[in-house]
């Protein structure tokens, strides 16, 4: 029996310290004991319905969104899967990289800088209609790398902006306020307020841009600058009718964070409303990572 112990110990070491670059909560053992890796970023989000189960427990799988990322840290495929209907909701296979442009398709693309940070997007007012009016959005970042504004122009009117989004940060780098304004009228289209857990400091957790409801699949897997310093606690997003009249609101809470020993978020309970800007449904969100 004693002769088997060295072999068993070696097998355990190989399993724990292998070159595997992703961590999944499907691994056995306590996930808080694992090390995700060095210089890692989210490559997959799995969302699970936990209604009727203990917080953080296992329920019905709702879906997932995943990016294939190569050894150059470039996204080569995006897939969003609906587990309830067993269908693919969204697929980008592959994006086309051409100089400083990343093409989603022939009509839509991102422009990135030398650090792969998105600085412009060319899109469609209705992404489902290839004949929809095209627009250009310009991304502005502050000196510490946080996205602070997005300004929209119709491609046919490149000097007259029609929409502007502003982000306000506090607490050392947490997005606490968002406003989105229709510029011709000056009316609010959307706004949002967010709060954070001051003692929870994760590495490279999800981006949260509450206004991003048309292209949310790309937000988590492309570079939009610095990420929030702390883990989000709650967010409230309001939509407005003309005259700044609140039409409706979406309120979500985030609790029961579980972190790896090297402070990557493994899973979190998202309660309340679904947020269109987050490409996952409310429930238990579990994360896998790609490391350089």
């Amino acid at each position: 029996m004693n002769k088997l112990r060295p072999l068993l110990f070696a097998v355990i070491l190989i399993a724990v310290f292998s070159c595997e670059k992703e961590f999944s909560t499907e691994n056995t053992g306590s996930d808080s004991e694992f090390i995700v890796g060095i210089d890692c970023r989210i490559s997959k989000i799995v969302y699970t319905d936990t209604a009727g189960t203990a917080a953080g427990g296992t329920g019905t799988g709702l879906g997932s969104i995943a990016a294939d990322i190569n050894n150059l840290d470039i996204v080569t495929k995006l897939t969003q899967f609906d587990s309830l209907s067993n269908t693919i909701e969204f697929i980008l296979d592959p994006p086309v990289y051409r100089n400083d442009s990343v093409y989603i398709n022939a009509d839509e693309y991102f422009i990135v800088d030398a650090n792969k940070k998105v600085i412009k997007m060319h899109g469609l007012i209705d992404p489902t209609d290839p004949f929809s009016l095209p627009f250009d959005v310009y991304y502005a970042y502050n000196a510490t790398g946080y996205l602070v504004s997005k300004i929209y122009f119709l491609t046919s009117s490149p000097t007259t902006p029609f929409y502007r989004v502003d982000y306000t940060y506090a607490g050392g780098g947490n997005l606490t306020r968002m406003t989105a304004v229709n510029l011709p009228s000056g009316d609010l289209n959307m706004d949002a307020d967010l709060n954070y857990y001051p003692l929870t400091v994760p590495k490279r957790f999800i981006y949260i841009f509450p206004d991003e409801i048309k292209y949310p699949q790309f937000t988590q897997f492309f570079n939009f600058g610095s990420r929030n310093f702390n883990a989000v606690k709650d967010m409230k997003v309001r939509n407005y009718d003309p005259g700044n009249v609140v039409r409706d609101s979406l309120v979500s809470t985030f609790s029961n964070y579980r972190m790896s020993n090297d402070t990557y978020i493994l899973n979190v309970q998202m309660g309340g409303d679904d947020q269109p800007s987050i490409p996952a449904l409310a429930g238990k969100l579990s994360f896998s990572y790609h490391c350089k």
Side-chain angles (χ1 to χ4, degrees):
M1 188 72 174
N2 289 340
K3 292 181 180 179
L4 295 177
R5 289 179 180 173
L7 177 60
L8 178 61
F9 184 69
V11 170
I12 293 173
L13 284 179
I14 291 171
V16 174
F17 297 106
S18 69
C19 296
E20 184 74 22
K21 293 258 182 167
E22 290 189 359
F23 174 84
S24 169
T25 53
E26 295 174 357
N27 286 324
T28 57
S30 172
D31 47 10
S32 62
E33 297 174 359
F34 284 82
I35 300 296
V36 171
I38 298 173
D39 197 3
C40 307
R41 64 185 180 106
I42 291 169
S43 62
K44 185 176 184 180
I45 306 172
V46 176
Y47 32 105
T48 305
D49 184 5
T50 56
T53 64
T58 300
T60 302
L62 298 175
S64 64
I65 183 166
D68 291 351
I69 303 172
N70 67 18
N71 58 3
L72 298 177
D73 198 38
I74 292 174
V75 173
T76 59
K77 184 178 180 179
L78 275 176
T79 308
Q80 188 162 21
F81 186 76
D82 184 334
S83 297
L84 296 179
S85 63
N86 199 34
T87 58
I88 293 175
E89 289 186 301
F90 172 88
I91 188 166
L92 175 63
D93 184 20
V96 176
Y97 293 84
R98 191 174 300 159
N99 297 323
D100 62 353
S101 302
V102 184
Y103 282 83
I104 301 170
N105 54 50
D107 301 309
E108 300 167 287
Y109 56 86
F110 294 99
I111 303 291
V112 300
D113 66 12
N115 297 313
K116 302 179 185 177
K117 185 166 60 181
V118 173
I119 56 175
K120 178 184 174 182
M121 183 190 179
H122 181 79
L124 299 173
I125 294 295
D126 181 358
T128 65
D129 179 4
F131 299 103
S132 177
L133 283 174
F135 69 88
D136 296 291
V137 53
Y138 293 84
Y139 298 74
Y141 299 85
N142 65 16
T144 53
Y146 287 93
L147 181 60
V148 293
S149 70
K150 296 190 293 192
I151 303 177
Y152 291 71
F153 299 80
L154 289 176
T155 304
S156 58
S157 301
T159 61
T160 306
F162 70 90
Y163 195 69
R164 181 184 177 104
V165 179
D166 290 290
Y167 303 107
T168 301
Y169 295 85
N174 293 318
L175 174 63
T176 56
R177 175 80 175 156
M178 179 279 294
T179 58
V181 176
N182 292 307
L183 293 179
S185 67
D187 288 341
L188 277 170
N189 183 64
M190 302 173 65
D191 69 4
D193 294 292
L194 301 93
N195 295 292
Y196 297 82
Y197 291 100
L199 301 181
T200 305
V201 184
K203 290 179 182 174
R204 301 191 74 178
F205 192 41
I206 57 174
Y207 283 117
I208 299 179
F209 301 120
D211 61 291
E212 191 54 74
I213 61 177
K214 290 188 177 180
Y215 296 91
Q217 295 90 351
F218 302 96
T219 304
Q220 304 308 323
F221 306 110
F222 288 83
N223 184 351
F224 293 92
S226 302
R227 297 170 185 261
N228 292 313
F229 184 75
N230 294 109
V232 64
K233 181 178 182 180
D234 56 64
M235 61 186 295
K236 183 174 184 177
V237 182
R238 291 166 289 267
N239 296 291
Y240 290 84
D241 286 327
N244 295 342
V245 177
V246 176
R247 180 174 68 250
D248 57 43
S249 62
L250 299 172
V251 180
S252 302
T253 60
F254 298 82
S255 61
N256 299 307
Y257 277 97
R258 301 185 71 189
M259 299 175 70
S260 66
N261 281 351
D262 49 353
T263 70
Y264 291 93
I265 299 299
L266 303 175
N267 53 66
V268 63
Q269 187 75 20
M270 178 179 170
D273 296 314
D274 299 331
Q275 292 289 345
S277 61
I278 297 176
L281 301 178
K284 180 182 177 183
L285 310 186
S286 300
F287 302 90
S288 298
Y289 291 85
H290 169 86
C291 305
K292 290 184 179 179

